[in-house]
Amino acid sequence: MKNMPSIFLLPFFLAVLLAGSALAQSPQQSSSPPPPSVVPMPASTTAPTQSPKPGQSPLRVSSDLVRIDVEVTDKSGKPIKGLRAEQFTVTDDGKPQAISSFSYADIESIETAGAQDAKPIVVPVDNEGPNTPSAAAASDQLRDRRLLVLFFDLTSMQPDDLIRAHDAGQKFVKQQMKSADVVAIVAFSTKLTVLANFTNDRAVLEKAISRLTETSSSDLSNPLYAAAANGEYDVQEYTGAAFTPDETEFNVFNTDQKLAAVEGLANVLGGIPGRKALVEFTGGITQTGEENRTQLRAATDAANRADVSIYSIDSRGLLAAPPGGDTTTNAATGTSMFTGASVFHQTDQREDSRDTLATLSTDTGGKAFFDLGDLSEALPKIQQDNGGYYLVGYDLGADVKRDGRWRTIHVKVNAPGAHIRYRDGYYAPRDFQHLEKEDRAQQLADAVNSDNPVVELPVAVETGMFRLSDQQTYVPIAAKISASALDWAEKHGNRQAEFDFAVQVRDVASGRTVAELHDTTQVKLDAERFQEINKKNLLYQGGVVLSPGNYKLKFVARENESGKIGTFERNLSVPASQPGKIVLSSVILSSQLVPVQKSTEVQTKGQGLRTKLASSPLEMNGETIIPSVTRLFTQNQTLYVFFQAYYPEKGENKEPVDGNTLRAGLIFFRNGLQVNATPMLAPSDVDPKKYVASFRISLPLTKLQGGRYSIQTIVIAPGTQHSAFSRTYLALQYPPPQPGVQATPADSPGPKPPSQ
């Protein structure tokens, strides 16, 4: 197809360049674009997505704070009020903690007030979060309220299970709901759907529960099925087929989907202040082994951060299963019915489907309810569990490792006859070095797909365009990273750094990804080389091949010692070919040529398939020109200028155009005045088959004055009407002042530079 983008990825490499103390982002070529803007390096930044938000939950971990909700009752289960902070003793992994914050949520006061129940309450489930006006308003409405979320997992419930869950929800709203209760209704089928926001309006809640209907999602898989673990037996039902497929792989996905829904809902509820009880009606969640552990931990961690206690209600209720299964199950094969194997297998299946529910509930401070004849029996117990509670907070010590490990909490209360309930631990925060491989990959993917920029790592990106054919354009990508912003690891006397680079190019019209890349680069330097490199910048260079069209490029760089991330976005407009005209490529400005060879200091490992070009347009005579991303130069450098001219096959007189006759020159402007110019030069290389003439011009910058310059590139075909123009920019640093030497005024023309 003529205009479909072609995807080719070139190998990337890392080079060391001289540069100044600021990063500049240069514009694309145009007739008169503004001068390049200077992007200063931020002094300090914070990650927008990695750290939990302050005030998000009573049990959460930020950089130095943990908060726990503690329920204290007497022997009859009635809340004990009026306790003081000094009556509480808290240990974290066995170490005593000094309490830094203390308060009490008096839910009983609302239940006994009566009149306040008439005040209507509506708070969105997806609240904006802490430290926002909506959060302050929600906090006022929900103060001393019991927050309950009735969550119906439609993907795991069979029709009879759904009917029981529906009836239990309706009975709770009509008969069991108390004046302090504020309830939300959420369902999960193919997506999370909020049927009712937090409210005390019973009519609204009844209407929301009545919308629950059977969906095809409940038939995705049988939640009872789990592949036999090592040392166990497996009993397959007879289907009449030649073989019975192993459903383990499908069930892994199905289980992760259910757990991801719980995690997603917990993250949303994190924007609601106070303790929340998530009452999940479910037909069970079966794990298949280690495959689901990561998602289970993520769901548990999200609930604890958001102060959500999960109460699981097995909607299958009280079950008396006949040997071999009921009428919905085909008969087992072989002698399993006579040996008891099928009966044991039925029991194992049921228990396996409950293990995850019990784990979620226990690790989040909730409870799991099984074998209930009437599911509504669980709800008063959940209400009783979520009475008044104390909010106890303490600061983490500086010596606590950010390793993501489970940390155990113990709380004691100096009050006679007191019974206490609290979450018994939390997952410690993780720094980048303790992230699992999957978590690192997900972090990079999130940065690529996020609409929000990340500026922990200062990054500047320069792109260009070089035509390969009428339907293919090579887009070189050069990204510069400030070495001073990097965290170098010291190992065996050497300094090491590792980087992940990701590039994504999307078509603007369709939103489809047309090019994608992920590379990991390792740099190892000895002590002497490190001293040389540490004050310079690092350049990452490569490119993609695209067809004509409009694109959005997203570049992400991550330094893997500290986990700092920097992102850069740019719109790309790849023009269609213009027959019968001379067209110019991008003009590359550089201060460095490097041999085309591998470096022992730099090792790059690419992921995914890529198609290599025979050679890059930036390579010539065994050397590669390194683009200057900042376009900032010093007077002791040589300026290398590279560009290509694409000329037509025939001129106006229909005679073939000889690329060797083309001539090109540069004109330098400063403050709107022409100050320098080069002679018209012949091309350095001509490809008559592709009608491409390449120009490489070198200029010593010693005699140029410091300041900003516009460079106009001119290409003409003598004896014809063909010509082409483009303009680019550079900045030249002023030299340091010399004692006793008067500086040349910035607006005075300098001498004409030599050219070759």
Side-chain angles (χ1 to χ4, degrees), residues 613-636:
L613 296 177
S615 64
S616 165
L618 302 186
E619 297 177 5
M620 188 180 296
N621 300 325
E623 290 183 320
T624 296
I625 185 169
I626 305 299
S628 172
V629 177
T630 62
R631 301 203 181 189
L632 179 64
F633 298 86
T634 59
Q635 288 185 315
N636 61 348

Side-chain angles (χ1 to χ4, degrees), residues 5-12 461-468 471-478 502-506 513-519 540-548 551-555 570 572 574 609-613 615-618:
S6 302
I7 306 174
F8 297 96
L9 300 176
L10 296 178
F12 282 47
V461 175
E462 171 75 354
T463 60
M465 294 184 191
F466 293 86
R467 194 179 75 187
L468 301 177
Q471 291 300 315
Q472 292 185 342
T473 297
Y474 171 61
V475 180
I477 303 170
V503 176
Q504 183 185 77
V505 181
R506 289 183 178 271
T513 299
V514 298
E516 201 167 29
L517 179 69
H518 176 198
D519 274 302
Y540 177 74
Q541 187 180 13
V544 296
V545 176
L546 301 172
S547 295
Y551 305 94
K552 183 176 181 180
L553 180 143
K554 179 73 172 285
F555 180 88
R570 166 161 290 174
L572 300 175
V574 180
L609 299 176
R610 58 177 57 143
T611 301
K612 298 182 180 179
L613 296 177
S615 64
S616 165
L618 302 186

Side-chain angles (χ1 to χ4, degrees), residues 404-427:
R405 184 176 58 84
W406 178 265
R407 299 182 64 85
T408 302
I409 295 175
H410 287 291
V411 179
K412 294 182 180 180
V413 177
N414 184 14
H419 295 262
I420 61 175
R421 286 188 70 250
Y422 57 91
R423 304 173 193 244
D424 58 359
Y426 64 94
Y427 287 108

Side-chain angles (χ1 to χ4, degrees), residues 11-257:
F12 282 47
F13 62 89
L14 199 67
V16 182
L17 293 182
L18 290 169
S21 58
L23 297 177
Q25 176 183 334
S26 58
Q28 296 288 339
Q29 300 178 59
S30 63
S31 57
S32 57
S37 59
V38 176
V39 184
M41 296 182 186
S44 62
T45 56
T46 57
T49 59
Q50 297 305 310
S51 299
K53 299 176 182 179
Q56 195 171 40
S57 65
L59 178 59
R60 59 174 295 280
V61 182
S62 63
S63 58
D64 58 359
L65 180 65
V66 177
R67 291 192 280 187
I68 320 162
D69 50 275
V70 182
E71 185 179 359
V72 185
T73 59
D74 58 20
K75 294 181 179 180
S76 64
K78 185 177 181 180
I80 298 178
K81 305 178 184 179
L83 298 178
R84 303 180 305 278
E86 53 267 25
Q87 293 178 264
F88 287 76
T89 302
V90 181
T91 61
D92 187 315
D93 262 9
K95 295 183 179 180
Q97 304 295 320
I99 296 175
S100 58
S101 62
F102 185 82
S103 62
Y104 181 70
D106 192 357
I107 293 176
E108 187 182 32
S109 64
I110 299 295
E111 291 183 340
T112 57
Q116 292 188 12
D117 185 41
K119 182 179 179 181
I121 295 176
V122 178
V123 175
V125 170
D126 56 340
N127 195 270
E128 293 181 12
N131 304 322
T132 62
S134 62
S139 181
D140 290 338
Q141 292 189 73
L142 301 177
R143 182 174 292 111
D144 296 332
R145 297 280 180 170
R146 182 188 294 113
L147 304 183
L148 300 172
V149 181
L150 302 187
F151 176 49
F152 297 86
D153 180 7
L154 305 182
T155 67
S156 65
M157 290 190 286
Q158 300 299 318
D160 290 346
D161 304 339
L162 181 57
I163 292 173
R164 282 189 288 270
H166 170 275
D167 293 346
Q170 289 284 18
K171 181 178 179 180
F172 171 75
V173 172
K174 293 179 180 179
Q175 304 176 20
Q176 298 171 321
M177 186 174 169
K178 297 183 179 180
S179 58
D181 293 337
V182 180
V183 183
I185 310 295
V186 180
F188 172 62
S189 55
T190 57
K191 62 181 180 179
L192 283 171
T193 303
V194 178
L195 302 179
N197 287 306
F198 281 106
T199 183
N200 57 354
D201 189 329
R202 286 179 168 83
V204 172
L205 296 172
E206 286 182 39
K207 185 177 180 180
I209 294 175
S210 67
R211 293 172 58 190
L212 294 171
T213 57
E214 180 186 355
T215 70
S216 59
S217 299
S218 61
D219 297 326
L220 282 177
S221 70
N222 184 350
L224 285 179
Y225 181 81
N230 292 335
E232 296 181 356
Y233 49 83
D234 202 350
V235 179
Q236 300 287 357
E237 65 181 49
Y238 177 68
T239 63
F243 65 93
T244 302
D246 182 5
E247 300 177 10
T248 303
E249 183 175 353
F250 178 81
N251 196 50
V252 169
F253 166 77
N254 199 32
T255 297
D256 275 353
Q257 191 181 46

